[in-house]
Amino acid sequence: MAQQLEVVEVDLAHRVWPTLRAEAQQVASEEPSLASLLNAVILRHSALPAALSYQLARKLGDQELRAMSLREIAQEAYAADPTIVDNAEADLRAVFERDPACKGFVQPFLHFKGFQALQTHRVAHWLWRSGREAIAFYLQSRMSELFQVDIHPAAVIGSGAFFDHGTGIVIGETAVIGENVSMLHGVTLGGTGAERGDRHPKIGNGVLLGAGAKVLGNIKIGDFAKIASGSVVLMPVPSGCTAAGVPARLFNCPTCSEPARTMDHTLAAEIS
């Protein structure tokens, strides 16, 4: 796979689609048993929206809502709001840049459920904003069943998001997530009771949320903050700080400059 990695690194300054196709062609030649899959999902399409809609439909389709209908819904969303595809491209880059186990773009596009759940949500969110709540909830349910990721379709998620592993992520209705955020498995962005209205966290840009972190209530997590694995956060966290513990306390302010990109989970001295 060394040649594949080299191709990706050279092309990161350009659009994802040509690199994704080149990788797919290489993998198909190296592993003929996957050639049919790669051709159906990637190689026979002319652009990223067509391939992505096919992949989501292939994953999400069932007896109640057939794959063809799901593909038409995704294509409708992409045509109405091209930023959905731009965000998907940024998400795909984020996986490659932040996950040391990722060997290129084909791997997350075909196999990583965190990426696929996020793209399902982006379509569901467009449906929600378009007043089509019933079908948006249907996609939320299918996402939860297939990927073990549960995101309310009203939740707002910025571009360049990275859901590492994905399993057990729960994001509530009024949650807002900024740009270039990374979160690991088991993260919850939830409420603190049965009240209605604006009740979920607001996550700033460049935030890193460690495995199993619980951020609860309508609180602000500032830009480039870090939430340590297993923490329970009930109070706001200032920009550039780390919160750790149960309940969480503040550590090393400022923390590293871009924790979501470096995926740096380390702690320094506690604030007295």
Side-chain angles (χ1 to χ4, degrees):
M1 300 292 283
Q3 289 181 316
Q4 182 177 328
L5 266 176
E6 182 179 355
V7 171
V8 172
E9 290 170 351
V10 169
D11 201 57
L12 274 175
H14 306 289
R15 303 292 288 186
V16 161
W17 177 244
T19 305
L20 180 62
R21 280 185 56 86
E23 287 181 17
Q25 289 171 339
Q26 182 174 339
V27 174
S29 66
E30 294 174 350
E31 190 57 72
S33 60
L34 293 177
S36 177
L37 171 65
L38 291 161
N39 182 69
V41 177
I42 298 172
L43 294 174
R44 73 181 184 87
H45 303 291
S46 60
L48 183 59
L52 186 56
S53 64
Y54 184 94
Q55 171 68 339
L56 291 182
R58 185 178 76 89
K59 289 285 188 178
L60 297 168
D62 61 8
Q63 291 186 347
E64 283 70 41
L65 192 58
R66 299 292 186 178
M68 183 60 71
S69 297
L70 276 165
R71 190 177 186 200
E72 290 172 354
I73 290 169
Q75 289 176 328
E76 182 184 0
Y78 300 156
D81 185 359
T83 63
I84 300 173
V85 178
D86 293 338
N87 289 339
E89 186 174 13
D91 300 337
L92 201 55
R93 289 184 187 279
V95 180
F96 176 75
E97 292 170 355
R98 301 175 207 169
D99 185 351
C102 184
K103 306 303 181 185
F105 294 143
V106 166
Q107 190 181 4
F109 192 86
L110 287 182
H111 306 306
F112 284 14
K113 62 185 180 182
F115 172 78
Q116 293 164 6
L118 182 56
Q119 304 322 310
T120 302
H121 169 73
R122 295 201 185 283
V123 175
H125 183 65
W126 176 81
L127 290 165
W128 181 270
R129 290 190 294 106
S130 301
R132 299 168 66 181
E133 294 185 7
I135 190 67
F137 280 134
Y138 186 89
L139 289 186
Q140 177 191 3
S141 177
R142 287 293 289 156
M143 178 205 316
S144 179
E145 292 170 359
L146 290 171
F147 306 127
Q148 296 81 53
V149 176
D150 196 346
I151 310 172
H152 193 286
V156 176
I157 302 178
S159 67
F162 173 39
F163 291 179
D164 196 7
H165 302 293
T167 304
I169 288 175
V170 177
I171 299 174
E173 178 183 10
T174 61
V176 177
I177 299 173
E179 306 288 315
N180 298 310
V181 168
S182 294
M183 66 177 70
L184 279 79
H185 51 285
V187 167
T188 297
L189 304 182
T192 56
E195 74 278 5
R196 297 181 182 272
D198 194 357
R199 61 195 184 279
H200 294 107
K202 309 299 181 281
I203 308 299
N205 299 324
V207 171
L208 172 62
L209 297 134
K214 316 300 178 188
V215 184
L216 306 177
N218 184 14
I219 59 174
K220 170 68 176 178
I221 307 301
D223 294 346
F224 305 109
K226 186 192 306 185
I227 309 300
S229 297
S231 299
V232 177
V233 182
L234 302 172
M235 302 293 289
V237 176
S239 297
C241 288
T242 295
V246 182
R249 302 171 67 183
L250 294 180
F251 288 74
N252 49 313
C253 298
T255 186
C256 57
S257 59
E258 293 189 82
R261 291 187 183 277
T262 62
M263 303 297 287
D264 180 358
H265 294 267
T266 59
L267 295 176
E270 181 179 357
I271 293 178
S272 58

